[in-house]
Amino acid sequence: MHIRHRLTALLSGLGALLILNGCATTPAAGPTLVTGTATYRERIALPPQAEFEASVEDVSRVGAPSVRVGEIRMPLAGVPVRFSIPVEASRLTRDGRYSLRARITLGDRLLYTSDTVYPVLGSSGLTHADILLRPVPAQPVADAPLENTYWKLVSLGNETVTVADARREPHLILQARERRVAGSGGCNRFTGGYTLDGQALSFSRVAGTLMACVQGGEYEAAFLKTLSATTRWRVDAGQLELIDAQGAVLARFVAVHLR
């Protein structure tokens, strides 16, 4: 009987110890979510292949390169972009300094980027930021193919096209895979089809949105009329010319490398 009581007491003690140990065990912390929005001021229709990237970077070490501790990448469906980035707790310190960065790319071209420090996590304690993206100055392209190039309208007939700051610029992109043309007349976006056979080029079923713009649409009607009258094309030194059946140059564009 005495042995039985001692055994019972021992088992009870072990049970209590296991319970205490179980209570003392701290479950592994899950990732912290950093959320944000990103937008830009310019009214420019970006190609559908454009992508959005955002990252949380450790900038604690002064003079040392920043280290990414979390990032996301996704197709750009429009702005503002809403996103969330999971960051593992093991990659963070309470007193660390972390910054949120974002950018928009097209292949290896950098179109827009953040140029302001947006502190998050660590010593800031913040988990959300609203980012304003700035355009990266465009570079003219000397040798550009007709298709899959951003063509900025610079003249209609003999008239030079000028665009005010922060206004959508008239442009077009011939998307080779779908044989679709997409662009903007300066106010409304448009899409349509095209047929290409050597130097022969024609556009069809071009239709656009129907916004009424106070500014930005002064070239739109003439631009769309030019597309319907185009029969040939020519590219020379990074400049595209659309030509009609009589050989007259209807419009000129410059290839823009958005990086």
Side-chain angles (χ1 to χ4, degrees):
M1 182 67 68
H2 182 65
I3 295 175
R4 182 181 297 176
H5 284 307
R6 292 185 60 187
L7 181 59
T8 301
L10 179 60
L11 291 175
S12 298
L14 287 173
L17 181 61
L18 289 173
I19 292 173
L20 289 173
N21 284 339
C23 292
T25 300
T26 302
T32 299
L33 280 182
V34 175
T35 62
T37 66
T39 191
Y40 52 79
R41 291 174 176 164
E42 291 74 19
R43 298 179 61 194
I44 296 177
L46 296 180
Q49 298 86 358
E51 293 187 311
F52 173 78
E53 301 176 25
S55 60
V56 177
E57 302 183 2
D58 186 341
V59 294
S60 302
R61 298 176 59 190
V62 178
S66 60
V67 178
R68 291 190 177 188
V69 296
E71 60 186 313
I72 56 103
R73 184 185 181 104
M74 58 187 182
L76 179 69
V79 293
V81 182
R82 292 175 173 82
F83 61 90
S84 60
I85 305 174
V87 182
E88 295 296 335
S90 61
R91 308 198 67 181
L92 302 173
T93 61
R94 180 177 300 177
D95 298 326
R97 293 173 54 246
Y98 304 92
S99 176
L100 184 60
R101 300 179 187 274
R103 65 180 191 164
I104 296 174
T105 60
L106 180 62
D108 61 350
R109 307 174 190 177
L110 180 59
L111 309 184
Y112 284 84
T113 187
S114 55
D115 62 357
T116 301
V117 175
Y118 296 91
V120 293
L121 303 176
S123 58
S124 75
L126 302 175
T127 58
H128 181 89
D130 297 310
I131 298 175
L132 178 61
L133 299 170
R134 304 288 186 180
V136 177
Q139 302 292 327
V141 181
D143 298 314
L146 173 66
E147 296 176 301
N148 301 321
T149 293
Y150 184 106
W151 293 106
K152 175 183 175 181
L153 181 67
V154 293
S155 67
L156 283 168
N158 295 322
E159 182 180 0
T160 300
V161 172
T162 57
V163 180
D165 291 341
R167 296 294 177 184
R168 182 177 294 166
E169 60 187 19
H171 70 277
L172 58 78
I173 302 170
L174 277 68
Q175 301 166 357
R177 179 178 296 180
E178 301 86 0
R179 280 296 169 100
R180 302 286 295 172
V181 59
S184 170
C187 172
N188 291 282
R189 298 183 181 185
F190 65 82
T191 62
Y194 70 91
T195 301
L196 178 63
D197 184 10
Q199 296 303 118
L201 173 66
S202 61
F203 298 93
S204 61
R205 304 181 305 279
V206 176
T209 56
L210 298 175
M211 294 189 300
C213 301
V214 177
Q215 292 181 310
E218 53 267 37
Y219 304 107
E220 193 160 86
F223 184 13
L224 296 180
K225 186 177 179 180
T226 289
L227 297 183
S228 64
T230 296
T231 60
R232 291 190 298 119
W233 66 280
R234 178 171 58 232
V235 170
D236 183 31
Q239 186 173 88
L240 167 66
E241 295 179 342
L242 298 183
I243 304 167
D244 67 10
Q246 287 71 45
V249 176
L250 301 173
R252 289 183 174 85
F253 306 76
V254 292
V256 175
H257 193 170
L258 300 172
R259 67 177 180 83

